Amino acid sequence: VLNDHIRAWGAGQPRVLVVPFASWAEPLAAGADIEIAPGERVPARTLVTEDGLHPNAFGVWNVLQRVDAAMEASLGTPADALVFARPET
């Protein structure tokens, strides 16, 4: 219910993007794989630290890539506005 209120509020605001972090985390909770690039899948657990909750450098990069893609799609941000170097794994 709270997420629905946040989405509704964000929809009425200029230049606001509400990102679906909960759905992005579902593969982690399910012990599944996640697509990090077209055709490239990794176990979701490789994106977090040993505590199983906080992202490691690879996980932060993945979230930034997703936010960037959402900004491009929803806000029209140019594709080259934000560029994040992929960390070594």
Side-chain angles (χ1 to χ4, degrees), residues 2 5 11-14 16 26 29 33 35 43 49 55 60 67-68 73 75:
L2 178 60
H5 289 291
Q13 305 298 313
V16 169
E26 286 173 2
D33 289 348
E35 186 172 45
T49 60
V60 170
V67 170
D68 184 35
L75 302 176

Side-chain angles (χ1 to χ4, degrees), residues 6-43:
I6 293 170
R7 272 190 293 279
W9 173 85
Q13 305 298 313
R15 303 186 53 83
V16 169
L17 174 66
V18 178
V19 295
F21 278 115
S23 66
W24 292 353
E26 286 173 2
L28 180 61
D33 289 348
I34 188 167
E35 186 172 45
I36 59 166
E40 183 180 2
R41 298 186 70 78
V42 299

Side-chain angles (χ1 to χ4, degrees), residues 44 46-48 54-66 87 89:
T46 64
L47 303 176
V48 295
H54 296 94
N56 58 25
F58 194 41
V60 170
W61 173 82
N62 179 61
V63 169
L64 291 173
Q65 291 292 99
R66 287 172 173 251
T89 55

